[in-house]
Amino acid sequence: MTPSREDRIRQRAYEIWRRDGEPSGREEENWSRAVREIDDEDHHARRAEAQRVRRRPPDETGRDADLSDRDKALRAAKAAARRHGFDLAELLHPRTPRAGIRSRRRQP
């Protein structure tokens, strides 16, 4: 156990003891509750951080740092086409003369 975590647990157990009216003989129960609460807080903090990192645009994480502007634009266009149900490759390079975009839409 790291000292900072142990200190947090000790402080939380003290707060629980005070909140419950300072009863005697419940030290282990208060310590267990404090450990669970601190573990829950740490777990939620890690999840929130992971979600925050996943929401970053690709440039912030460095994955697209070496791509050209054209490649970035193409990647964005592909993502937009997928969101709207189109096959971008088919729109850019149709096999038959264009009969209209509606005929190119994928069926759900």
Side-chain angles (χ1 to χ4, degrees):
M1 227 186 287
T2 62
S4 63
R5 182 171 184 272
E6 188 173 341
D7 290 341
R8 288 173 57 208
I9 293 170
R10 184 177 290 114
Q11 180 64 33
R12 183 63 56 89
Y14 176 74
E15 291 169 4
I16 292 169
W17 176 71
R18 295 279 303 205
R19 197 175 19 203
D20 289 348
E22 303 178 7
S24 61
R26 295 177 56 189
E27 294 83 9
E28 288 182 24
E29 180 184 334
N30 292 343
W31 187 268
S32 297
R33 282 177 56 193
V35 168
R36 281 193 308 271
E37 289 179 13
I38 296 298
D39 286 346
D40 286 346
E41 287 175 7
D42 291 346
H43 173 74
H44 291 299
R46 283 191 303 271
R47 277 186 80 182
E49 176 64 19
Q51 288 174 350
R52 188 185 67 77
V53 168
R54 273 186 289 216
R55 289 185 190 135
R56 282 188 200 155
D59 286 335
E60 283 187 43
T61 59
R63 290 187 309 207
D64 287 348
D66 58 340
L67 293 179
S68 69
D69 289 338
R70 180 182 177 279
D71 291 336
K72 290 178 188 177
L74 185 58
R75 181 177 282 180
K78 285 180 181 178
R82 278 193 303 270
R83 276 195 309 273
H84 295 289
F86 294 102
D87 181 5
L88 186 64
E90 186 67 24
L91 290 173
L92 293 176
H93 308 287
R95 291 184 205 126
T96 59
R98 254 186 140 146
I101 291 179
R102 290 190 192 280
S103 64
R104 306 278 185 246
R105 192 169 193 141
R106 285 187 275 165
Q107 299 300 318

